[in-house]
């Protein structure tokens, strides 16, 4: 036990002695290495310092660029995630809509199943009644054949009617053409009738004026005849009264008689002229005036009725 402790102490002391011998050289070596490392890390000249700064700037720029690229990638990834989130949201909405539609389809399916069941029952009933209606079907087929033959007959009649309709349409077109011609002729005749009516109205006005003038002339002629009759009565009375009075008033009576005769002839000429004007160019008075010889300038005979009528017509 003691020997072991002695050997342990001896070994410890030997190790401490060896460590004391080796420690200075190790310290010097560590100092040299530390100095070299510091010299390599810390620049000693301006160029080295500038180069170190440039290197730091480049490293910083590279780090910033990497961060920017990483940020851009993160933004793109965020946008993609946002789009995916929107798509997922739309899908969720659509999914909810599809669920509602699915419920509606299920409800419709149930209704269709119920309708199918009722239709199946109705079909079974129809199949049962089908046998009962076979006789009716045969009768209907017979009726259909009869109706088919009747339809053929009606088609033939329709073709005949269409032919007749075409002919009547042609005749109607001809009648319309004739009607247009008749309307044109009627318009022309209407225009002529209006012109004739206007001329007739003008002629009636002219005849009315001439009739008034003729009435006035006839009244004047009647007055002149009455005056002439009174004058003849006075002459007859004077002739019975005596020759003395007859001699004194002979000249005045002759002048009065001549004036009355001249006035009567003038009125008669006016009446004849108005009558000839009323009768128009076809009046025989114009022919009589043409046949009568006019009075010459050297003739001292009294003016005739024809001359008076001509003198009345000249101013017109």
């Amino acid at each position: 036990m003691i020997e072991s402790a002695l050997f342990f102490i001896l070994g410890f002391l030997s190790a401490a002695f060896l460590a004391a011998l080796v420690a200075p050289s190790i310290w010097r070596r560590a100092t040299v290495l530390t100095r070299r490392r510091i010299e390599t890390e810390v620049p000693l000249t301006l160029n080295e310092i500038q180069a170190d700064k440039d290197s730091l700037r480049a490293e910083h720029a590279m780090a910033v660029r990497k961060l920017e690229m990483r940020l851009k990638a993160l933004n793109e990834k965020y946008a993609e995630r946002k789009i995916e989130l929107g798509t997922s949201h739309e899908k969720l909405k659509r999914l909810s809509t599809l669920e509602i539609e699915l419920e509606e389809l299920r409800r419709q399916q149930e209704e269709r199943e119920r309708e199918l069941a009722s239709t199946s029952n109705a079909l079974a009933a129809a199949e049962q009644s089908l046998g009962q209606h076979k006789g009716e079907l045969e009768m209907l087929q017979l009726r259909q054949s009869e109706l088919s033959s009747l339809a053929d007959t009606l088609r033939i009649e329709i073709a005949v009617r269409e032919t007749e309709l075409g002919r009547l349409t042609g005749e109607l077109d001809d009648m319309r053409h004739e009607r247009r011609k008749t309307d044109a002729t009627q318009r022309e005749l209407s225009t002529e009738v209006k012109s004739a009516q206007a001329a007739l109205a003008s002629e009636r006005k002219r005849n009315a004026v001439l009739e008034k003038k003729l009435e006035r002339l006839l009244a004047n002629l009647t007055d002149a005849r009455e005056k002439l009759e009174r004058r003849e009565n006075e002459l007859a009375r004077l002739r019975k009264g005596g020759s003395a009075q007859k001699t004194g008033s002979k000249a005045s009576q002759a002048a009065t008689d001549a004036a009355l005769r001249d006035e009567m002839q003038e009125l008669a000429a006016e009446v004849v002229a108005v009558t000839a004007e009323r009768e128009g160019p076809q009046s025989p008075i114009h022919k009589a005036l043409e046949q009568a010889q006019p009075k010459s300038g050297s003739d001292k005979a009294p003016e005739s009725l024809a001359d008076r009528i001509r003198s009345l017509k000249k101013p017109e």
Side-chain angles (χ1 to χ4, degrees), residues 40-271:
T40 55
E41 291 179 358
V42 177
L44 299 177
T45 62
L46 292 175
N47 293 329
E48 290 178 354
I49 293 170
Q50 187 66 33
D52 191 21
K53 287 182 179 180
D54 293 338
S55 177
L56 290 174
R57 286 175 182 171
E59 290 177 358
H60 181 69
M62 289 294 293
V64 170
R65 180 59 182 166
K66 288 180 180 179
L67 290 174
E68 288 178 353
M69 292 177 68
R70 187 176 180 184
L71 180 62
K72 184 177 180 181
L74 289 174
N75 289 330
E76 291 177 355
K77 191 174 182 180
Y78 174 73
E80 291 176 358
R81 292 290 184 273
K82 192 173 182 180
I83 293 171
E84 290 177 358
L85 182 61
T87 306
S88 300
H89 187 64
E90 292 293 331
K91 288 181 179 179
L92 289 174
K93 288 183 179 179
R94 187 176 179 185
L95 182 61
S96 61
T97 306
L98 290 174
E99 288 178 354
I100 296 171
E101 292 179 355
L102 181 60
E103 292 294 332
E104 182 67 22
L105 290 174
R106 287 175 180 173
R107 186 180 61 80
Q108 292 179 1
Q109 184 179 3
E110 292 176 356
E111 292 179 356
R112 295 293 185 276
E113 288 177 355
R114 289 194 295 270
E115 291 178 358
L116 181 60
S118 61
T119 305
S120 299
N121 296 328
L123 182 61
E127 288 177 353
Q128 291 178 0
S129 62
L130 181 62
Q132 299 175 0
H133 291 84
K134 283 184 178 179
E136 295 179 0
L137 180 61
E138 292 176 356
M139 293 177 64
L140 290 174
Q141 289 177 352
L142 180 61
R143 180 62 177 170
Q144 183 180 4
S145 61
E146 293 177 355
L147 291 175
S148 298
S149 60
L150 181 60
D152 294 334
T153 305
L154 290 175
R155 288 192 189 95
I156 296 171
E157 291 182 358
I158 288 171
V160 174
R161 294 293 186 274
E162 287 178 351
T163 305
E164 185 69 18
L165 180 61
R167 184 180 62 80
L168 292 175
T169 303
E171 293 180 357
L172 182 60
D173 293 336
D174 295 336
M175 292 175 67
R176 286 176 179 172
H177 184 66
E178 293 294 332
R179 176 64 181 276
R180 285 194 292 269
K181 288 183 178 179
T182 305
D183 291 339
T185 306
Q186 186 176 2
R187 285 193 294 270
E188 293 177 358
L189 292 175
S190 177
T191 305
E192 293 178 359
V193 167
K194 288 180 180 178
S195 301
Q197 288 177 352
L200 180 61
S202 177
E203 189 66 25
R204 284 177 179 174
K205 291 180 181 179
R206 184 167 170 272
N207 287 335
V209 173
L210 293 175
E211 285 178 357
K212 290 180 180 179
K213 186 176 181 180
L214 181 60
E215 290 176 358
R216 181 175 56 80
L217 292 175
L218 290 174
N220 293 333
L221 182 60
T222 303
D223 293 338
R225 286 178 179 175
E226 290 177 355
K227 289 180 181 180
L228 183 59
E229 289 177 357
R230 287 196 300 270
R231 187 62 182 169
E232 288 178 353
N233 292 331
E234 289 178 0
L235 289 174
R237 190 173 59 254
L238 290 173
R239 286 172 185 171
K240 292 179 181 180
S243 59
Q245 294 178 355
K246 183 177 180 181
T247 303
S249 59
K250 185 176 182 180
S252 61
Q253 290 176 359
T256 304
D257 292 340
L260 288 173
R261 289 190 185 91
D262 187 65
E263 185 178 357
M264 288 182 65
Q265 289 181 359
E266 188 70 27
L267 291 173
E270 290 182 3
V271 170

